[in-house]
Amino acid sequence: MVTAAQPLPRATARLPRATAVRHLGPNWYASVMGTAIVATAGAALPAPLSGIPGLRTLCVTVWALSLGLLLVLLCARALHWAHHRDQARAHLLDPAIAPFYGCLAMALLAVGGGALTVGRDWIGTDAAVALDAVLFTAGTVVGLAAAVAVPYLMAVRHRVEPHQATPVWLLPVVAPMVSAALGPLLVPHLPPGQAQETLLLGCFAMFGLSLLATLLMLPMIFGRLITGGPLPLALTPTLFLVLGPLGQSTTAVGNFADVAPGVVPAAYSDGFGILAVLYGVPVMGFALLWFVFATAHVVRARRDGMRFSMTWWAFTFPVGTCVTGSESLARHTGLVAFEWLAIGLYVVLVVAWGTAALHTVRGLVSGELLAGPRPALVAPRSATARTR
């Protein structure tokens, strides 16, 4: 047994490197998602922003940053599982953290989709298709697994009460919707016939899976807000997560309509075109209502002293899906109103991304974001010892 006076074994010299990732949870993948959506949403902006010199190059650069972040986080999370399995298991058994495993799937999918939309300018179309195929497959498998495993754990292992419902619960069931929205990008690169139709209808099935699961979750979340009051300050930004399934599903139906001609029979293709508008417009209307509702809560929380935490990344990807959804509606309706909506939301997205990124870098440099939870203060024995 090693005593305090004895030197530590040489092997423990490696521990400080591993301990740096002990508290690195799956929520960190949200930074990858938020960065990737800035690139992909910016690449499809309508005029007049689409004509800004250098915008495309900037989007490619941001996508490359998201790819780098993904690789770094995958390595860091691998170290986390290798050296801190106790903490990793604790995350899975924690109902507040386990839903964030959906972020891994969405990060893979977001970077993969960005490879085809903007990354091809840098790495070439063939490499972009190959990269997207790998990341789409991995992200879809992880997303479907999370959509089943996390609700199962919540039902049989976690102990949750109705007052604990938060928008974070949506994360695992939204992941298949991201697959549904980005899968159509690969359809034109598959052999015509069965392969293309299978992927398109498979994406449509994941659209339904995620939409129905979201419709089960939303009443619990809204009911908790109405009956239980506002969320804790640190969790208030997660209200923006509700925008994710709304904007992403609008994007998905638009992408179905874009690739359906020639892939499915004409009647179904026309149906996808109708669905893109008849579904997308009312859902985007509700998304705008929720945007205002969530913003009001955030303003209130900020006044009450809400400080930065990694939940601020919820301001990025969900808003980005509303940008891509608005871009889709602009294409399929031809309305200038949706073009300006996409531009306005993109400005919000860029500001939110810049704010979250700046605070994250500061937190990493100071070490605060990777530090463990602070121990609770011990209350003084005597009431008179308190001065405030």
Side-chain angles (χ1 to χ4, degrees):
M1 185 166 123
V2 178
T3 66
Q6 292 175 316
L8 292 174
R10 186 173 299 175
T12 61
R14 300 177 187 174
L15 285 180
R17 298 178 187 174
T19 54
V21 299
R22 176 168 178 79
H23 301 286
L24 185 74
N27 58 315
W28 278 78
Y29 286 112
S31 62
V32 178
M33 298 158 51
T35 303
I37 199 71
V38 171
T40 54
L45 283 173
L49 286 190
S50 60
I52 295 178
L55 177 61
R56 180 80 181 185
T57 302
L58 184 60
C59 289
V60 174
T61 303
V62 174
W63 174 79
L65 174 62
S66 72
L67 176 61
L69 288 174
L70 176 63
L71 295 175
V72 170
L73 276 175
L74 287 174
C75 293
R77 288 286 296 163
L79 286 174
H80 176 83
W81 272 94
H83 294 277
H84 306 289
R85 292 183 183 178
D86 60 325
Q87 186 77 351
R89 293 192 187 98
H91 285 169
L92 280 173
L93 297 179
D94 187 340
I97 300 179
F100 283 101
Y101 274 89
C103 290
L104 167 59
M106 291 186 280
L108 294 169
L109 292 163
V111 175
L116 273 182
T117 53
V118 294
R120 65 172 187 240
D121 295 358
W122 177 37
I123 62 176
T125 300
D126 291 341
V129 171
L131 178 60
D132 188 23
V134 171
L135 294 180
F136 174 79
T137 302
T140 299
V141 170
V142 173
L144 291 173
V148 175
V150 174
Y152 175 80
L153 286 173
M154 293 177 71
V156 302
R157 294 296 299 273
H158 301 164
R159 294 294 178 263
V160 294
E161 301 292 338
H163 70 273
Q164 295 176 304
T166 72
V168 172
W169 289 8
L170 291 171
L171 290 172
V173 299
V174 172
M177 187 66 79
V178 181
S179 293
L182 298 178
L185 298 176
L186 285 168
V187 169
H189 301 281
L190 293 177
Q194 288 283 323
Q196 289 186 340
E197 187 171 358
T198 298
L199 178 56
L200 178 58
L201 294 184
C203 290
F204 193 35
M206 289 188 286
F207 165 86
L209 177 161
S210 181
L211 178 63
L212 294 176
T214 298
L215 292 177
L216 291 175
M217 291 287 191
L218 274 180
M220 291 188 288
I221 295 167
F222 189 68
R224 179 255 175 269
L225 288 171
I226 298 301
T227 61
L231 294 175
L233 297 183
L235 288 177
T236 302
T238 65
L239 288 171
F240 276 78
L241 294 177
V242 175
L243 297 177
L246 303 176
Q248 199 67 280
S249 61
T250 303
T251 304
V253 292
N255 290 345
F256 297 157
D258 290 339
V259 303
V263 174
V264 294
Y268 297 154
S269 176
D270 293 342
F272 277 125
I274 295 171
L275 183 65
V277 176
L278 295 188
Y279 173 88
V281 172
V283 170
M284 185 56 63
F286 179 69
L288 293 176
L289 170 67
W290 192 272
F291 181 90
V292 176
F293 175 77
T295 300
H297 275 261
V298 169
V299 170
R300 175 190 175 278
R302 191 65 173 159
R303 288 175 180 169
D304 290 344
M306 181 184 73
R307 300 180 59 192
F308 173 76
S309 67
M310 288 300 290
T311 57
W312 282 34
W313 283 98
F315 298 139
T316 58
F317 189 79
V319 174
T321 66
C322 292
V323 176
T324 57
S326 299
E327 292 168 346
S328 172
L329 289 174
R331 292 196 308 272
H332 290 282
T333 65
L335 292 177
V336 176
F338 285 118
E339 294 181 355
W340 283 105
L341 176 61
I343 292 172
L345 289 174
Y346 188 72
V347 172
V348 173
L349 169 62
V350 171
V351 172
W353 178 82
T355 303
L358 177 62
H359 282 84
T360 301
V361 171
R362 286 178 177 174
L364 285 172
V365 171
S366 67
E368 183 178 356
L369 286 180
L370 292 177
R374 292 188 180 92
L377 296 176
V378 179
R381 295 185 180 182
S382 172
T384 58
R386 274 199 169 180
T387 59
R388 52 195 175 126

Short mmCIF file of all heavy atoms in Angstrom, two decimals, residues 30 33-34 37 106 171 174 237-248 251 284 287 290-291 311-325 345 349:
data_model
loop_
_atom_site.label_atom_id
_atom_site.label_comp_id
_atom_site.label_asym_id
_atom_site.label_seq_id
_atom_site.Cartn_x
_atom_site.Cartn_y
_atom_site.Cartn_z
N ALA A 30 -22.67 19.15 -28.54
CA ALA A 30 -23.53 20.24 -28.99
C ALA A 30 -22.72 21.35 -29.65
O ALA A 30 -23.21 22.04 -30.55
CB ALA A 30 -24.33 20.79 -27.81
N MET A 33 -22.33 20.34 -33.26
CA MET A 33 -23.60 20.55 -33.98
C MET A 33 -23.80 22.02 -34.30
O MET A 33 -24.15 22.39 -35.43
CB MET A 33 -24.76 20.04 -33.13
CG MET A 33 -24.72 18.56 -32.82
SD MET A 33 -25.70 18.14 -31.34
CE MET A 33 -27.27 18.90 -31.68
N GLY A 34 -23.59 22.87 -33.28
CA GLY A 34 -23.82 24.29 -33.46
C GLY A 34 -22.86 24.91 -34.46
O GLY A 34 -23.24 25.83 -35.20
N ILE A 37 -23.88 23.64 -38.20
CA ILE A 37 -25.10 24.23 -38.75
C ILE A 37 -24.86 25.65 -39.22
O ILE A 37 -25.54 26.14 -40.13
CB ILE A 37 -26.25 24.18 -37.71
CG1 ILE A 37 -27.62 24.34 -38.38
CG2 ILE A 37 -26.06 25.25 -36.64
CD1 ILE A 37 -28.06 23.16 -39.18
N MET A 106 -26.17 13.39 -33.57
CA MET A 106 -26.44 14.60 -34.35
C MET A 106 -25.16 15.31 -34.77
O MET A 106 -25.11 15.93 -35.83
CB MET A 106 -27.36 15.52 -33.55
CG MET A 106 -28.77 14.97 -33.41
SD MET A 106 -29.94 16.10 -32.62
CE MET A 106 -29.52 15.84 -30.89
N LEU A 171 -33.64 15.25 -26.83
CA LEU A 171 -32.42 15.03 -27.60
C LEU A 171 -32.30 13.65 -28.23
O LEU A 171 -31.97 13.54 -29.42
CB LEU A 171 -31.19 15.33 -26.73
CG LEU A 171 -30.98 16.81 -26.40
CD1 LEU A 171 -29.86 16.97 -25.38
CD2 LEU A 171 -30.67 17.61 -27.66
N VAL A 174 -34.88 13.24 -31.16
CA VAL A 174 -34.73 14.15 -32.29
C VAL A 174 -33.65 13.66 -33.24
O VAL A 174 -33.67 13.98 -34.44
CB VAL A 174 -34.42 15.58 -31.80
CG1 VAL A 174 -34.07 16.51 -32.95
CG2 VAL A 174 -35.61 16.15 -31.05
N PRO A 237 -31.79 27.94 -21.11
CA PRO A 237 -31.49 27.92 -22.55
C PRO A 237 -31.98 26.66 -23.26
O PRO A 237 -32.18 26.69 -24.48
CB PRO A 237 -29.96 28.01 -22.59
CG PRO A 237 -29.59 28.72 -21.33
CD PRO A 237 -30.57 28.20 -20.31
N THR A 238 -32.19 25.56 -22.53
CA THR A 238 -32.63 24.32 -23.19
C THR A 238 -34.03 24.44 -23.75
O THR A 238 -34.46 23.57 -24.52
CB THR A 238 -32.57 23.13 -22.22
OG1 THR A 238 -33.51 23.31 -21.14
CG2 THR A 238 -31.17 22.96 -21.64
N LEU A 239 -34.76 25.50 -23.40
CA LEU A 239 -36.07 25.70 -24.02
C LEU A 239 -35.94 25.83 -25.53
O LEU A 239 -36.87 25.50 -26.28
CB LEU A 239 -36.75 26.94 -23.43
CG LEU A 239 -37.27 26.81 -22.00
CD1 LEU A 239 -37.72 28.16 -21.48
CD2 LEU A 239 -38.42 25.80 -21.95
N PHE A 240 -34.79 26.29 -26.00
CA PHE A 240 -34.59 26.42 -27.44
C PHE A 240 -34.46 25.06 -28.12
O PHE A 240 -34.56 24.98 -29.35
CB PHE A 240 -33.35 27.28 -27.71
CG PHE A 240 -33.64 28.75 -27.69
CD1 PHE A 240 -33.77 29.43 -26.48
CD2 PHE A 240 -33.80 29.47 -28.85
CE1 PHE A 240 -34.04 30.79 -26.44
CE2 PHE A 240 -34.07 30.83 -28.84
CZ PHE A 240 -34.20 31.50 -27.63
N LEU A 241 -34.22 24.00 -27.35
CA LEU A 241 -34.13 22.67 -27.95
C LEU A 241 -35.43 22.25 -28.63
O LEU A 241 -35.42 21.42 -29.54
CB LEU A 241 -33.73 21.64 -26.89
CG LEU A 241 -32.34 21.78 -26.28
CD1 LEU A 241 -32.11 20.74 -25.20
CD2 LEU A 241 -31.25 21.68 -27.35
N VAL A 242 -36.54 22.80 -28.17
CA VAL A 242 -37.83 22.46 -28.78
C VAL A 242 -37.86 22.88 -30.25
O VAL A 242 -38.55 22.28 -31.08
CB VAL A 242 -38.98 23.12 -28.00
CG1 VAL A 242 -40.33 22.89 -28.68
CG2 VAL A 242 -39.02 22.59 -26.57
N LEU A 243 -37.09 23.92 -30.61
CA LEU A 243 -37.04 24.35 -32.00
C LEU A 243 -36.40 23.30 -32.89
O LEU A 243 -36.65 23.28 -34.11
CB LEU A 243 -36.25 25.66 -32.11
CG LEU A 243 -36.81 26.88 -31.39
CD1 LEU A 243 -35.86 28.06 -31.55
CD2 LEU A 243 -38.19 27.24 -31.92
N GLY A 244 -35.57 22.42 -32.33
CA GLY A 244 -34.86 21.42 -33.12
C GLY A 244 -35.78 20.54 -33.95
O GLY A 244 -35.67 20.50 -35.18
N PRO A 245 -36.70 19.80 -33.31
CA PRO A 245 -37.58 18.94 -34.11
C PRO A 245 -38.50 19.73 -35.03
O PRO A 245 -38.91 19.23 -36.08
CB PRO A 245 -38.38 18.17 -33.05
CG PRO A 245 -38.27 18.97 -31.80
CD PRO A 245 -36.92 19.63 -31.87
N LEU A 246 -38.84 20.96 -34.67
CA LEU A 246 -39.73 21.77 -35.51
C LEU A 246 -39.01 22.21 -36.78
O LEU A 246 -39.49 21.98 -37.90
CB LEU A 246 -40.22 22.99 -34.72
CG LEU A 246 -40.95 22.70 -33.41
CD1 LEU A 246 -41.29 24.00 -32.68
CD2 LEU A 246 -42.21 21.88 -33.66
N GLY A 247 -37.85 22.84 -36.62
CA GLY A 247 -37.10 23.29 -37.79
C GLY A 247 -36.55 22.15 -38.61
O GLY A 247 -36.55 22.19 -39.85
N GLN A 248 -36.09 21.07 -37.92
CA GLN A 248 -35.50 19.96 -38.65
C GLN A 248 -36.54 19.19 -39.44
O GLN A 248 -36.27 18.70 -40.55
CB GLN A 248 -34.78 19.03 -37.67
CG GLN A 248 -33.76 18.11 -38.30
CD GLN A 248 -32.56 18.85 -38.85
OE1 GLN A 248 -32.60 19.41 -39.93
NE2 GLN A 248 -31.46 18.83 -38.12
N THR A 251 -37.26 21.16 -42.52
CA THR A 251 -36.16 20.95 -43.45
C THR A 251 -36.27 19.59 -44.13
O THR A 251 -36.05 19.45 -45.34
CB THR A 251 -34.82 21.04 -42.72
OG1 THR A 251 -34.73 22.31 -42.05
CG2 THR A 251 -33.65 20.89 -43.67
N MET A 284 -43.57 25.85 -38.91
CA MET A 284 -42.69 27.00 -38.75
C MET A 284 -43.39 28.11 -37.97
O MET A 284 -42.76 28.83 -37.19
CB MET A 284 -42.24 27.52 -40.12
CG MET A 284 -41.22 28.65 -40.06
SD MET A 284 -39.72 28.23 -39.11
CE MET A 284 -39.06 26.89 -40.08
N ALA A 287 -42.99 27.18 -34.50
CA ALA A 287 -41.59 27.38 -34.11
C ALA A 287 -41.33 28.84 -33.75
O ALA A 287 -40.62 29.14 -32.78
CB ALA A 287 -40.66 26.94 -35.24
N TRP A 290 -42.77 29.52 -30.36
CA TRP A 290 -41.91 28.98 -29.29
C TRP A 290 -40.62 29.79 -29.16
O TRP A 290 -40.10 29.95 -28.07
CB TRP A 290 -41.58 27.51 -29.54
CG TRP A 290 -40.97 26.87 -28.33
CD1 TRP A 290 -39.65 26.83 -28.00
CD2 TRP A 290 -41.67 26.25 -27.25
NE1 TRP A 290 -39.47 26.20 -26.80
CE2 TRP A 290 -40.69 25.83 -26.31
CE3 TRP A 290 -43.01 25.98 -26.99
CZ2 TRP A 290 -41.03 25.16 -25.13
CZ3 TRP A 290 -43.34 25.32 -25.82
CH2 TRP A 290 -42.35 24.92 -24.90
N PHE A 291 -40.11 30.29 -30.27
CA PHE A 291 -38.91 31.13 -30.23
C PHE A 291 -39.14 32.34 -29.33
O PHE A 291 -38.29 32.67 -28.49
CB PHE A 291 -38.55 31.57 -31.65
CG PHE A 291 -37.32 32.42 -31.74
CD1 PHE A 291 -36.06 31.85 -31.92
CD2 PHE A 291 -37.40 33.80 -31.64
CE1 PHE A 291 -34.93 32.64 -32.00
CE2 PHE A 291 -36.27 34.60 -31.72
CZ PHE A 291 -35.02 34.02 -31.89
N THR A 311 -25.10 24.75 -21.63
CA THR A 311 -26.46 24.76 -22.16
C THR A 311 -26.68 25.92 -23.12
O THR A 311 -27.66 25.91 -23.88
CB THR A 311 -27.50 24.84 -21.02
OG1 THR A 311 -27.25 26.01 -20.23
CG2 THR A 311 -27.44 23.61 -20.14
N TRP A 312 -25.78 26.91 -23.12
CA TRP A 312 -25.92 28.02 -24.07
C TRP A 312 -25.78 27.57 -25.52
O TRP A 312 -26.22 28.28 -26.43
CB TRP A 312 -24.90 29.12 -23.76
CG TRP A 312 -25.28 29.99 -22.59
CD1 TRP A 312 -25.96 29.61 -21.47
CD2 TRP A 312 -25.00 31.38 -22.43
NE1 TRP A 312 -26.11 30.68 -20.61
CE2 TRP A 312 -25.53 31.78 -21.17
CE3 TRP A 312 -24.34 32.32 -23.21
CZ2 TRP A 312 -25.43 33.07 -20.69
CZ3 TRP A 312 -24.23 33.63 -22.73
CH2 TRP A 312 -24.78 34.00 -21.48
N TRP A 313 -25.18 26.40 -25.74
CA TRP A 313 -25.10 25.88 -27.11
C TRP A 313 -26.47 25.51 -27.65
O TRP A 313 -26.63 25.27 -28.86
CB TRP A 313 -24.14 24.70 -27.17
CG TRP A 313 -22.70 25.14 -27.16
CD1 TRP A 313 -21.87 25.17 -26.08
CD2 TRP A 313 -21.95 25.64 -28.26
NE1 TRP A 313 -20.64 25.67 -26.45
CE2 TRP A 313 -20.66 25.96 -27.78
CE3 TRP A 313 -22.23 25.86 -29.61
CZ2 TRP A 313 -19.66 26.48 -28.61
CZ3 TRP A 313 -21.24 26.37 -30.43
CH2 TRP A 313 -19.97 26.67 -29.93
N ALA A 314 -27.48 25.46 -26.77
CA ALA A 314 -28.85 25.23 -27.24
C ALA A 314 -29.36 26.38 -28.08
O ALA A 314 -30.37 26.25 -28.78
CB ALA A 314 -29.78 24.99 -26.04
N PHE A 315 -28.69 27.53 -28.01
CA PHE A 315 -29.09 28.68 -28.83
C PHE A 315 -28.66 28.52 -30.29
O PHE A 315 -29.02 29.35 -31.13
CB PHE A 315 -28.46 29.97 -28.28
CG PHE A 315 -28.89 30.35 -26.90
CD1 PHE A 315 -27.96 30.84 -25.99
CD2 PHE A 315 -30.21 30.22 -26.49
CE1 PHE A 315 -28.35 31.22 -24.70
CE2 PHE A 315 -30.60 30.58 -25.21
CZ PHE A 315 -29.67 31.08 -24.31
N THR A 316 -27.84 27.51 -30.61
CA THR A 316 -27.24 27.42 -31.94
C THR A 316 -27.94 26.42 -32.85
O THR A 316 -28.68 26.82 -33.76
CB THR A 316 -25.75 27.09 -31.82
OG1 THR A 316 -25.57 25.85 -31.10
CG2 THR A 316 -25.01 28.19 -31.07
N PHE A 317 -27.74 25.14 -32.64
CA PHE A 317 -28.25 24.15 -33.59
C PHE A 317 -29.77 24.23 -33.79
O PHE A 317 -30.24 24.20 -34.93
CB PHE A 317 -27.84 22.74 -33.15
CG PHE A 317 -28.16 21.68 -34.18
CD1 PHE A 317 -27.33 21.50 -35.27
CD2 PHE A 317 -29.28 20.87 -34.05
CE1 PHE A 317 -27.61 20.52 -36.23
CE2 PHE A 317 -29.56 19.90 -34.99
CZ PHE A 317 -28.73 19.72 -36.09
N PRO A 318 -30.57 24.33 -32.74
CA PRO A 318 -32.02 24.43 -32.95
C PRO A 318 -32.41 25.64 -33.79
O PRO A 318 -33.28 25.55 -34.67
CB PRO A 318 -32.59 24.52 -31.54
CG PRO A 318 -31.56 23.85 -30.68
CD PRO A 318 -30.26 24.22 -31.29
N VAL A 319 -31.78 26.78 -33.54
CA VAL A 319 -32.07 27.96 -34.35
C VAL A 319 -31.61 27.72 -35.79
O VAL A 319 -32.28 28.12 -36.75
CB VAL A 319 -31.38 29.21 -33.76
CG1 VAL A 319 -31.55 30.41 -34.69
CG2 VAL A 319 -31.96 29.53 -32.39
N GLY A 320 -30.48 27.03 -35.94
CA GLY A 320 -29.99 26.72 -37.28
C GLY A 320 -30.96 25.86 -38.07
O GLY A 320 -31.11 26.03 -39.29
N THR A 321 -31.65 24.93 -37.41
CA THR A 321 -32.63 24.11 -38.13
C THR A 321 -33.80 24.96 -38.60
O THR A 321 -34.41 24.67 -39.64
CB THR A 321 -33.15 22.97 -37.25
OG1 THR A 321 -33.90 23.49 -36.14
CG2 THR A 321 -32.00 22.11 -36.73
N CYS A 322 -34.12 26.00 -37.85
CA CYS A 322 -35.18 26.92 -38.30
C CYS A 322 -34.72 27.73 -39.50
O CYS A 322 -35.54 28.10 -40.36
CB CYS A 322 -35.62 27.83 -37.16
SG CYS A 322 -36.48 26.98 -35.82
N VAL A 323 -33.42 28.03 -39.56
CA VAL A 323 -32.88 28.71 -40.74
C VAL A 323 -33.03 27.81 -41.96
O VAL A 323 -33.53 28.23 -43.02
CB VAL A 323 -31.40 29.09 -40.54
CG1 VAL A 323 -30.83 29.70 -41.82
CG2 VAL A 323 -31.25 30.05 -39.37
N THR A 324 -32.59 26.56 -41.86
CA THR A 324 -32.70 25.65 -43.01
C THR A 324 -34.15 25.36 -43.35
O THR A 324 -34.49 25.18 -44.52
CB THR A 324 -31.94 24.34 -42.73
OG1 THR A 324 -32.46 23.72 -41.53
CG2 THR A 324 -30.45 24.59 -42.55
N GLY A 325 -35.03 25.32 -42.33
CA GLY A 325 -36.44 25.13 -42.60
C GLY A 325 -37.02 26.31 -43.36
O GLY A 325 -37.82 26.14 -44.30
N LEU A 345 -33.03 34.89 -38.98
CA LEU A 345 -32.68 33.83 -38.04
C LEU A 345 -31.20 33.47 -38.15
O LEU A 345 -30.58 33.08 -37.15
CB LEU A 345 -33.54 32.59 -38.31
CG LEU A 345 -35.02 32.71 -37.93
CD1 LEU A 345 -35.80 31.48 -38.39
CD2 LEU A 345 -35.18 32.89 -36.41
N LEU A 349 -28.42 33.21 -35.30
CA LEU A 349 -27.58 32.03 -35.15
C LEU A 349 -26.11 32.39 -35.03
O LEU A 349 -25.40 31.88 -34.16
CB LEU A 349 -27.80 31.10 -36.35
CG LEU A 349 -26.82 29.93 -36.51
CD1 LEU A 349 -26.90 28.98 -35.32
CD2 LEU A 349 -27.08 29.19 -37.82
#
